[in-house]
Amino acid sequence: MEPTGGAEPVSQRGIGWRTAALLLAGSLLLGGCSRNDTPAAPIPDRPVTVAVTARVTTTDPAAAVDEGSQFYAYNVFQRLMVPQVGLPALKTDLATECRFVDELTYSCIIPKGRSFTNGHALTSQDVKFSIERAQRLAVPGTGAAMLDSLASINANNPQLVEFKLKHPDNNFGFAISTPAASIVDEEAYPADALWPQDQAPISSGPYLPPDRSLDTLVFAKNPRYTGPTFSRRPEVVVKTFSSPALMDRAVATGTVDLVWRGGTPPKDSTINLLPEVLPGADVSRLIWNPKSPRRGDAALRGRVKDSTGNLRTLHSLIPAGIPFAADTFATAAAPAPGPAAELTLAQSSNNDLSRDLLPQVQQALQANGIRVTIAPDPSQADLILDAGGVTTSTPVAWLQAWWEHPLPGQERRTSELIHALRTDPSLEGREKTALTIQQQAAVDATVLPLTQRDRTFYRHPSLVVDKEFKNWMGPGYQLGLWGWTW
């Protein structure tokens, strides 16, 4: 039986770009073929090597907000459920079954014999501890915010965990599938603090936690793992590059097999890496930092929205293809002139999309009299360019940057709207509420959609995804190491 997770019904409109991405990726990769008739290169006698630009900033899944840390969490840790790539749908991971027993009780069965990398048994008590820990830590931007409907957790049976909800929540299954809800060892992890970054994490996911290094992470297959994202290779190497030039040098030597979010490989490479396209997979947004002292200035928020209008190809906070997407952000005409202002701008992840857009956003704002300084730390910036994926592809998740940090005085309104979206039993009612939210978000202008475009990555001609394997990325198109093989 397909486990339930409160998924939105997929309407004809909701089939869209993310389903198309899966179909195209499957046709190109699962068969091991390419659009080019390039002869297959010799298969290297070494682990698959992946080149990325987004660094891992934390190894604690409860704090995984940026692209690199989400990638780490999805490959090292395990959750009760796993979201499908780019779709509002769930399948089991650690659990053998999860379902709503009634509208306020969500139950998951945990198999016997599961354990962590330190040998400790994994039971329902660890699940209870992990979810409650995420709630206590409450790191902004993580799936912990979506756990607010949870009233209590019953873990008296080692193989059964029951979640009691305060109210019906059609998004709860997705909330416990995010990195923040990853299962950690109750006997090892601190209940009220993040895991020390100088210690190797303890986990139960498809890969063993690699030692931290500046540029290279070696992911070894976890022999204790049993689940849908099991590894097809005994070892995968992930190399992080601080610039496209450094990545190009490595690619040119033929020592890189997969370029993920890195840009176009050089033509003088010893191996001709083949391009693959995921239609519409890259979404960018401009987000006001909730801590910014300038965020409360409605006129300034409006100037920022209008100034970036010419860059905007995405006109909704919910991307095209996700249920309830509605164009509420118009392409702006020439913005009204305003007084001189100063803002700081930072990027949340160092990837090819961010690198392209950062100077364009800066120039667009400065053309309207807003002096912009690029800041290295997004936590200290007024505006954050977000070009990473969300933790799960649902309307609630895509709207989270708006509803998690309401404007002063709008807390009750925001809470009532998001509550209605998560509790209304009718599709028509949820669609109406989602439209109201998106219209209000356009007025608030605290989160601005910018672009939606195809993503291109490059692979070794002999590198394929196993035909039986369907979940080869994270739900927001985060890099999944499992499944890749020669």
Side-chain angles (χ1 to χ4, degrees), residues 21-36 38 40 274 276 457 459-470 472 483-486:
L22 289 175
L23 294 175
L24 178 59
S27 65
L28 293 175
L29 291 172
L30 297 185
C33 61
S34 166
R35 289 164 293 175
N36 300 332
T38 305
L274 305 181
E276 307 291 3
F457 64 91
R459 65 173 178 88
H460 189 285
S462 298
L463 189 62
V464 297
V465 174
D466 191 282
K467 292 182 180 180
E468 300 300 320
F469 194 80
K470 299 177 182 178
W472 56 282
W484 291 102
T485 189
W486 303 113

Side-chain angles (χ1 to χ4, degrees), residues 110 123-126 128 153-162:
I110 300 170
T123 71
S124 62
Q125 285 292 338
D126 296 295
K128 174 180 167 68
I153 305 176
N154 184 335
N156 295 330
N157 183 331
Q159 268 61 62
L160 180 68
V161 58
E162 287 189 339

Side-chain angles (χ1 to χ4, degrees), residues 471-486:
N471 236 20
W472 56 282
M473 291 181 288
Y477 292 90
Q478 296 89 353
L479 171 63
L481 303 178
W482 56 84
W484 291 102
T485 189
W486 303 113

Side-chain angles (χ1 to χ4, degrees), residues 50-54 238-256 258-266 268-269 273 350-352 355 458:
V50 183
V52 301
T53 53
V238 177
K239 294 185 176 181
T240 306
F241 296 89
S242 59
S243 72
L246 292 174
M247 181 182 289
D248 288 349
R249 293 176 193 173
V251 172
T253 64
T255 57
V256 169
L258 182 64
V259 175
W260 190 264
R261 302 297 298 268
T264 306
D268 59 351
S269 172
L273 299 183
N350 177 32
N351 56 42
D352 54 329
R355 289 196 303 270
Y458 298 83

Side-chain angles (χ1 to χ4, degrees), residues 318 323-324 326 395 399 421 429-439:
I318 302 175
F324 309 147
L399 294 168
L421 181 60
R430 294 197 298 276
E431 185 167 22
K432 182 178 179 180
T433 299
L435 175 59
T436 301
I437 288 174
Q438 291 170 89
Q439 290 170 336

